[in-house]
Amino acid sequence: MLKSALAVVTTLLFVLAGISPAQAQTSANTKKTAAKKTIVKKVVVKRQAAPKRAATQASLDHREKLVKKVAYVHGKRRVVYQRVAAMPTMPVVPPVMTAGDMAGLNLTQDPLALRSNVALVIDQASSQVLFEKNSSVALPIASVTKLMTSLVVVEARQNMEETLTVTDDDVDRQKHSSSRLRVGAQLSRDDMLHIALMSSENRAASALGRNYPGGLPAFVAAMNAKARSLGMMDTHYVDSTGLSSNNVASARDLAKLVVAAYNYPIIRQYSTDAKYMVEPSGHALQYASSNRLVASKDWDIGLQKTGYINEAGHCLVMLTKIEGRSVVMVFLDSKGKLSHVGDAARMRKWLSEQGSQNLTRVNLRARADEG
């Protein structure tokens, strides 16, 4: 009864609106069909978009990634996916282990917190040890080797004005270090010695050894013989440059070498020059010292030599005056580009304080005796 009444009322409304029942039924059917089509269309669009994104992801390689972006076009929100290059991953480089680190020397503590695994300071006049740390351990010494190279050259009394030529044999194929001396460059033996000592020029040091009577093998043999004559029993050389990690010595041995080399004015001068110009084959080259302390007015340095290769760390040997006293300093296997210089500064400060304290004690004792 209720359904019949509703049907009659609906028919009357259509008649009053001027619409026949048949037209109303047709309109309703049309709306239902349109709604179904819209739903089907949306489903089809979604089903088609998914494979497209998957295909895009599948085509990515390890250097790309997919980035989701939202854009508005004519007021409508749209989501797009773009392929962009992925940020390159930096390889993890393990820390370089020096020979001293591998021997466990980095575990040794000292009152000055030095960055060097090995240190030795002695009084030049009395040979008294003022400070030491792992001073008897033989380690790679890098370009400190060139101090012995210079000693052998000077004592051989070769013609220092003789012209030496850099050859392919002087090129470093072990560490691939750079050099400003090209193959074919010519310099006097004196100039080669100068820049080898002052600026640690490897090809110059190689040419010096190669032009020794008997060649490089005889030169290396002379280096080792000189070491033994100085009592350097923990020392061994295999080349004239120090590029090989098989060139080893202890700090105690190197202190002896510094004292011996200091006897030659030419070694003192060349090792402590701040700058020097050479003209290989007519082309001027300005060289600078590898040790920044030689140009400092705060230091009085009579002889010095630096060195560095991965196995040796940063090394420094020198003879300097502190509070009027000549002392020999040796720092081996230091961490950081300027850490060996920093250790030298800390050592000088400590020695100065020690000297002041000792002077105060002497004055106090003198006054006590007078009383």
Side-chain angles (χ1 to χ4, degrees), residues 62-321:
H62 68 282
R63 294 169 296 181
E64 296 178 319
K65 65 179 181 179
L66 202 62
V67 176
K68 177 182 177 180
K69 292 187 177 182
V70 178
Y72 289 88
V73 181
H74 302 299
K76 295 182 179 180
R77 183 176 180 273
R78 291 186 178 181
V79 178
V80 296
Y81 294 88
Q82 292 183 349
R83 297 195 306 177
V84 297
M87 291 296 291
T89 56
M90 297 300 293
V92 178
V93 180
V96 177
M97 295 288 288
T98 63
D101 289 340
M102 290 188 286
L105 301 186
N106 55 327
L107 302 177
T108 306
Q109 302 295 320
D110 68 81
L112 302 185
L114 299 177
R115 298 289 303 280
S116 303
N117 279 339
V118 171
L120 177 66
V121 181
I122 65 171
D123 184 293
Q124 181 193 16
S126 65
S127 299
Q128 177 189 1
V129 175
L130 306 176
F131 186 98
E132 65 176 340
K133 174 184 176 183
N134 298 322
S135 62
S136 61
V137 181
L139 292 176
I141 58 174
S143 286
V144 175
T145 295
K146 294 182 177 72
L147 199 55
M148 177 61 82
T149 298
S150 67
L151 193 58
V152 172
V153 169
V154 171
E155 292 188 345
R157 299 183 180 278
Q158 292 179 271
N159 181 7
M160 298 302 288
E161 300 304 318
E162 180 185 355
T163 299
L164 308 183
T165 303
V166 175
T167 71
D168 190 63
D169 292 333
D170 301 318
V171 176
D172 172 26
R173 291 183 172 81
Q174 184 173 7
K175 301 293 185 183
H176 305 286
S177 60
S178 61
S179 173
R180 300 174 67 191
L181 293 181
R182 299 179 180 180
V183 172
Q186 294 183 326
L187 285 175
S188 67
R189 178 175 280 106
D190 186 77
D191 281 347
M192 291 285 194
L193 178 64
H194 204 145
I195 60 178
L197 270 174
M198 185 196 77
S199 195
S200 213
E201 172 58 68
N202 288 315
R203 291 184 184 178
S206 176
L208 289 170
R210 191 171 45 76
N211 284 277
Y212 186 80
L216 186 58
F219 188 84
V220 173
M223 293 173 71
N224 286 309
K226 184 61 180 180
R228 288 192 296 272
S229 70
L230 293 175
M232 301 169 62
M233 299 307 173
D234 300 318
T235 299
H236 181 68
Y237 298 102
V238 298
D239 66 32
S240 59
T241 63
L243 289 168
S244 172
S245 60
N246 291 324
N247 286 5
V248 298
S250 66
R252 286 183 174 271
D253 280 1
L254 292 177
K256 297 174 183 178
L257 175 60
V258 169
V259 172
Y262 187 76
N263 291 323
Y264 293 93
I266 189 173
I267 298 178
R268 296 201 301 267
Q269 177 190 339
Y270 288 1
S271 70
T272 56
D273 277 346
K275 294 181 180 180
Y276 185 67
M277 182 176 290
V278 296
E279 296 184 3
S281 305
H283 299 286
L285 290 178
Q286 178 76 57
Y287 279 87
S289 174
S290 59
N291 184 354
R292 59 165 39 185
L293 295 181
V294 299
S296 174
K297 296 180 180 179
D298 296 332
W299 286 84
D300 182 3
I301 300 175
L303 180 145
Q304 68 81 36
K305 187 70 196 77
T306 62
Y308 173 79
I309 56 174
N310 286 337
E311 298 89 340
H314 291 273
C315 305
L316 170 65
V317 300
M318 63 181 181
L319 192 150
T320 184
K321 284 188 177 182

